[in-house]
Amino acid sequence: MTELIPAPRSVVAGSGEVRLTAHSRIHSGRGTEDAGHWLRTVLRQATGLPLREGREPDDTDGDGIGLRLGPGLGPEEYRLVSDGNGVLIEGGSAAGVLWGAQTLRQLLGPEAFRRAPVRRDRVWAVPHLTIEDSPRFRWRGLMLDVARHFMPKEGVLRQLDLMAAHKLNVLHFHLTDDQGWRIEIQRYPKLTETGSWRARTKIGHRASPLWDDRPHGGHYTQDDIREIVAYAAERHISVVPEIDVPGHSQAAIAAYPELGNSDVVDTASLTVWDTWGITPNVLAPTDDTLRFYEGVLEEVLELFPADAGPFSPFVHIGGDECPKDQWRDSDTAQKQIGNLGLADEDALQSWFIGHFDEWLAARGRRLIGWDEILEGGLAPGAAVSSWRGYSGGVTAARAGHDVVMCPQQYVYLDYRQDAGPDEPVPIGYVRTLEDVYRFEPVPSELTGEEAARVLGTQANVWTEVMEDQGRVDYQTYPRLAALAEVAWSDLPAPADRDFAGFERRMTAHYRRLDALGVAYRPPAGPLPWQKRPGVLGRPIDGPPPHA
């Protein structure tokens, strides 16, 4: 079972195998206790073996597993050796040890991903081999939108387990939008009392005539958030919260109408938005609005501590798709432009974003936002999520800013996976498994110094047309497995990548996903219950523009 995903840097096969038995033990060296606890838990469930705490594997009968930190290895690098002494996993850090343990689980076969033994006579064996491995990129992420359709806490914890199984290490947590506010803020209780529920929901694309007339909503309590962050940290995943400003904020305005442009529209009559697209209702660019969101962020910073992972200092503030029509018509906004000596409404948004850049920096945090935040200039510590193609990321890297590459043309997983008529709620361009596999996060036009600014990449899962866990699974998998390999493995140029070999390895990986209960899109197309006949999407024909 060496059909590993993501592909390791080096695999040298031996002859023979290590068999796990009722006498096998797992030894966790100093600094690897969390990885040892995780490995012992999942393997006990799957195998039924006791796997008690033991000594170093070379002090046993050759059927044990040892975990330890290895001097000279990089932060997430690991070495896995299976030989006559047993299995030894060394990591340059606790994270590296966990990634090695994830690889060991794959080596044991798909049944190692189940929560209880399915065959008591199963032989659990690891082939003799040596694997040396390390990631290409530091930031290997998944953006999960829980604002458009709420995902209960258990679903988020499940996604973290799936991310860890693919060696992904950043959850970009999209918590607020026009259609719902999902995080408890004790200072402002109406954000969840009012802002977390909408009366109904559009089914399909916004042009669809179909509605789900049931109220939809939910939110995470502060203890839910603490649990999610701690659970992620145990799996060496950083959680980066997103609080969207100044656009995509109608849910907040519905809860607190004074946040909106009340001199232009009757903000007291606004409700949490029930359809998709870009609403004109954006935050008022006032000092009072800034104070309100400072209060929000003070609680966010407490819930997402900076020491919970390498990317935990980051806070995402959105900054995308903010229509300026209300600001143009607002006397309040126009007076603010004059008072600040700004050129126009675009500069006003830059001022808004810049305020929180400075506010976060003063508290030891780093702002990250969608590539629109480049318009008007950024403080040196700010980073950019490049979604409108590559150009924003190129501009940011050349200006000295760190970049996460997530261009919609490649890694927006709400986009349809096939052009066939059975594809459910077809959105955007066709982005196949192969398209994602051939995605290259570093544009060729960047110099070596500029390319070093690319922290990594992530896939974005927008959930307008994903109403439940099954739909999220279908759109996300198997394509997230391809993104994971792009982010982790040192692959050749896109045209030279061995997609046929990846497909062969996916044959084994589909069985792992089956064991994990993932409702992925099968290679042959959607299963009957995965289709959504009659639900209008918004397909776009032809290849996406490369920008």
Side-chain angles (χ1 to χ4, degrees), residues 9-30:
R9 185 176 73 232
S10 168
V11 180
V12 178
S15 57
E17 61 185 18
V18 175
R19 290 195 175 190
L20 301 184
T21 71
H23 302 290
S24 297
R25 295 174 180 266
I26 296 179
H27 172 77
S28 305
R30 182 177 299 175

Side-chain angles (χ1 to χ4, degrees), residues 8 125 365 379 420 452 469 498:
R365 299 302 189 99
Q469 178 174 289
D498 182 10

Side-chain angles (χ1 to χ4, degrees), residues 15-260:
S15 57
E17 61 185 18
V18 175
R19 290 195 175 190
L20 301 184
T21 71
H23 302 290
S24 297
R25 295 174 180 266
I26 296 179
H27 172 77
S28 305
R30 182 177 299 175
T32 72
E33 293 86 356
D34 286 347
H37 173 74
W38 173 84
L39 184 63
R40 184 177 293 105
T41 299
V42 297
L43 293 189
R44 276 177 174 172
Q45 290 176 342
T47 66
L49 299 174
L51 297 173
R52 299 180 180 90
E53 178 65 30
R55 301 165 294 171
E56 293 280 1
D58 53 8
D59 295 330
T60 71
D61 295 328
D63 63 354
I65 299 169
L67 310 177
R68 70 186 183 197
L69 299 179
L73 296 176
E76 293 186 275
E77 188 174 6
Y78 71 89
R79 181 187 301 113
L80 187 157
V81 179
S82 170
D83 59 20
N85 295 316
V87 178
L88 176 63
I89 298 172
E90 295 180 295
S93 66
V97 173
L98 180 67
W99 305 140
Q102 295 284 0
T103 296
L104 174 61
R105 192 185 190 189
Q106 290 195 21
L107 290 169
L108 286 166
E111 290 176 11
F113 290 81
R114 296 193 178 274
R115 295 187 182 181
V118 295
R119 289 185 295 160
R120 289 292 178 178
D121 60 347
R122 170 75 151 81
V123 174
W124 297 96
V126 183
H128 284 177
L129 45 62
T130 298
I131 294 175
E132 295 184 335
D133 201 9
S134 60
R136 178 186 178 193
F137 290 108
R138 290 181 291 151
W139 183 301
R140 307 179 302 279
L142 170 70
M143 191 230 67
L144 182 61
D145 169 18
V146 295
R148 273 48 177 270
H149 279 100
F150 179 64
M151 179 178 286
K153 180 196 69 178
E154 288 302 319
V156 178
L157 300 180
R158 173 180 177 268
Q159 287 297 328
L160 289 167
D161 280 331
L162 292 172
M163 289 175 63
H166 291 84
K167 300 184 175 70
L168 299 173
N169 68 341
V170 180
L171 174 64
H172 172 173
F173 208 14
H174 186 82
L175 288 162
T176 73
D177 217 296
D178 302 304
Q179 295 85 1
W181 184 284
R182 305 296 179 213
I183 179 172
E184 177 190 15
I185 302 296
Q186 294 176 350
R187 190 175 311 187
Y188 305 121
K190 291 182 182 178
L191 286 172
T192 47
E193 291 172 1
T194 299
S196 69
W197 290 90
R198 57 179 181 262
R200 63 176 187 169
T201 300
K202 174 67 70 173
I203 299 176
H205 183 251
R206 61 181 175 273
S208 166
L210 303 177
W211 293 90
D212 182 343
D213 288 320
R214 298 172 298 174
H216 176 85
H219 73 275
Y220 309 106
T221 67
Q222 294 204 346
D223 280 346
D224 289 338
I225 293 292
R226 292 186 182 98
E227 181 183 357
I228 288 167
V229 171
Y231 194 85
E234 289 175 353
R235 287 147 184 79
H236 298 280
I237 296 172
S238 302
V239 183
V240 176
E242 180 176 356
I243 306 296
D244 222 333
V245 296
H248 288 291
S249 299
Q250 185 163 321
I253 297 169
Y256 291 93
E258 63 270 23
L259 295 174

Side-chain angles (χ1 to χ4, degrees), residues 392-455:
V394 170
T395 300
R398 287 177 172 168
H401 296 287
D402 287 338
V403 179
V404 176
M405 282 292 186
C406 49
Q408 60 181 326
Q409 300 93 327
Y410 285 93
V411 293
Y412 266 39
L413 300 188
D414 53 325
Y415 282 15
R416 58 190 174 137
Q417 302 182 65
D418 189 82
D422 291 333
E423 208 61 31
V425 201
I427 298 295
Y429 299 101
V430 173
R431 296 288 81 190
T432 65
L433 181 66
E434 182 172 0
D435 291 326
V436 177
Y437 191 68
R438 296 193 188 280
F439 163 56
E440 172 49 51
V442 180
S444 58
E445 59 263 42
L446 294 182
T447 66
E449 183 177 349
E450 292 164 351
R453 288 289 185 181
V454 179
L455 296 174

Side-chain angles (χ1 to χ4, degrees), residues 311-491:
F311 296 107
S312 296
F314 282 98
V315 176
H316 206 292
I317 49 73
D320 63 317
E321 297 179 330
C322 179
K324 310 297 192 300
D325 297 341
Q326 290 184 359
W327 290 358
R328 293 186 185 96
D329 296 336
S330 166
D331 289 340
T332 300
Q334 293 302 311
K335 287 178 182 177
Q336 186 73 295
I337 289 173
N339 291 339
L340 296 169
L342 301 176
D344 54 20
E345 292 79 17
D346 289 338
L348 187 60
Q349 178 171 344
S350 179
W351 163 80
F352 197 108
I353 299 300
H355 173 85
F356 288 107
D357 191 351
E358 295 176 3
W359 189 91
L360 288 167
R363 288 155 181 81
R365 299 302 189 99
R366 292 187 65 186
L367 180 146
I368 185 170
W370 302 111
D371 53 57
E372 286 95 330
I373 68 172
L374 285 164
E375 298 160 6
L378 278 179
V384 171
S385 303
S386 186
W387 75 275
R388 294 180 299 179
Y390 286 99
S391 58
V394 170
T395 300
R398 287 177 172 168
H401 296 287
D402 287 338
V403 179
V404 176
M405 282 292 186
C406 49
Q408 60 181 326
Q409 300 93 327
Y410 285 93
V411 293
Y412 266 39
L413 300 188
D414 53 325
Y415 282 15
R416 58 190 174 137
Q417 302 182 65
D418 189 82
D422 291 333
E423 208 61 31
V425 201
I427 298 295
Y429 299 101
V430 173
R431 296 288 81 190
T432 65
L433 181 66
E434 182 172 0
D435 291 326
V436 177
Y437 191 68
R438 296 193 188 280
F439 163 56
E440 172 49 51
V442 180
S444 58
E445 59 263 42
L446 294 182
T447 66
E449 183 177 349
E450 292 164 351
R453 288 289 185 181
V454 179
L455 296 174
T457 184
Q458 68 183 31
N460 294 341
V461 178
W462 300 105
T463 61
E464 286 94 337
V465 298
M466 302 180 212
E467 70 276 9
D468 56 30
Q469 178 174 289
R471 283 286 294 127
V472 172
D473 279 4
Y474 180 91
Q475 293 296 135
T476 304
Y477 294 95
R479 291 184 294 181
L480 191 64
L483 185 278
E485 183 147 314
V486 168
W488 178 276
S489 307
D490 192 10
L491 300 176

